[in-house]
Amino acid sequence: KQQQQQHHPATNWSDAKRTYRLVLQAATTIPQLFDHVISGMVISVGALTKAVQTEAEDALVDWIRVQNNDSSRLERLGQTFLDLFRNYRGKRRVILPLLKTIDILLNKTNRGLLLLDPLLLLPVLNNNDNDATNNNRQTTTTTSSCYSTQLLDLIQMEIQRSSAGSTDVHRLFAATNVVLGLLRSTTTTTATTNKDDDTTQQQQQQQQQQQ
């Protein structure tokens, strides 16, 4: 037993820097834990304690940088964010940390590229629930739109809730930051895509002229 303890020292779970990275590693290797881990990370990133917030933010940012080459995990991350908006509508204890987390990820850069750039223009499913007044049944229509559009729609709903009755200034401020970050990021991504398309067309024209 002593030899095993020497080779496998016990994890110090009070060490936030190591603990958050181990938890995210578990989310990567055990798909069933993914949504729960990301939800917990969101709450930690939006925590009131600065030390906890910083360590959780750094761990999540580093994890996303590694996952940027894996579109499936990035898509699932984005879907988890959307699910949190839908499952906790109007719940400040979740929505405010969620908005703060997305704002941080939109503004953290990796070699000049926003971390969530690959995600923002991806097509995702959009479920709209409509009440059937004639037969009192609920019907669901499924359409496809880009991720940033769905995210903006959900944020708009939260802004409306915050503005109704007692105004939640902190949530409104966080929502505004995310909207501005989305607009800036999607504009940059679209401009980069158009520039790449123009470059490709010019290269094709030059090849045709040479032929």
Side-chain angles (χ1 to χ4, degrees), residues 14-203:
S14 62
D15 182 356
K17 183 175 183 178
R18 177 166 173 76
T19 298
Y20 284 128
R21 283 164 171 76
L22 286 174
V23 170
L24 283 169
Q25 183 179 351
T28 304
T29 55
I30 308 174
Q32 294 84 349
L33 295 179
F34 188 91
D35 293 347
H36 302 291
V37 169
I38 296 301
S39 299
M41 291 299 299
V42 164
I43 300 299
S44 297
V45 171
L48 296 177
T49 306
K50 185 64 177 177
V52 172
Q53 178 184 0
T54 300
E55 295 297 348
E57 176 186 327
D58 290 345
L60 186 57
V61 167
D62 290 344
W63 181 83
I64 291 177
R65 283 175 174 161
V66 174
Q67 308 308 318
N68 252 356
N69 293 326
D70 189 335
S71 60
S72 62
R73 288 208 182 106
L74 198 59
E75 286 180 47
R76 186 164 182 186
L77 173 72
Q79 188 59 54
T80 301
F81 288 161
L82 296 181
D83 290 341
L84 286 173
F85 272 113
R86 295 182 179 118
N87 295 334
Y88 295 93
R89 292 175 181 174
K91 304 296 184 182
R92 187 181 190 275
R93 64 182 179 83
V94 175
I95 298 300
L96 182 56
L98 178 57
L99 289 168
K100 288 182 178 180
T101 300
I102 296 174
D103 179 36
I104 289 169
L105 297 181
L106 283 172
N107 288 283
K108 286 279 186 178
T109 60
N110 181 21
R111 297 181 182 178
L113 295 176
L114 293 175
L115 287 175
L116 294 186
D117 268 359
L119 172 65
L120 295 177
L121 297 180
L122 284 175
V124 289
L125 292 180
N126 179 27
N127 294 324
N128 298 317
D129 293 332
N130 300 314
D131 292 329
T133 56
N134 293 333
N135 51 16
N136 292 325
R137 291 187 306 174
Q138 194 175 60
T139 59
T140 302
T141 58
T142 303
T143 58
S144 179
S145 62
C146 70
Y147 181 83
S148 58
T149 301
Q150 286 200 40
L151 188 56
L152 281 171
D153 289 342
L154 290 167
I155 292 173
Q156 182 181 5
M157 294 172 65
E158 288 300 326
I159 291 175
Q160 291 173 348
R161 289 190 182 93
S162 300
S163 302
S166 58
T167 303
D168 187 339
V169 177
H170 295 287
R171 197 176 348 177
L172 285 172
F173 185 72
T176 301
N177 285 341
V178 174
V179 171
L180 292 175
L182 281 170
L183 292 174
R184 179 174 60 252
S185 183
T186 51
T187 299
T188 302
T189 304
T190 303
T192 302
T193 302
N194 291 338
K195 184 178 180 180
D196 292 340
D197 291 341
D198 292 341
T199 302
T200 301
Q201 290 179 356
Q202 290 177 356
Q203 291 175 348

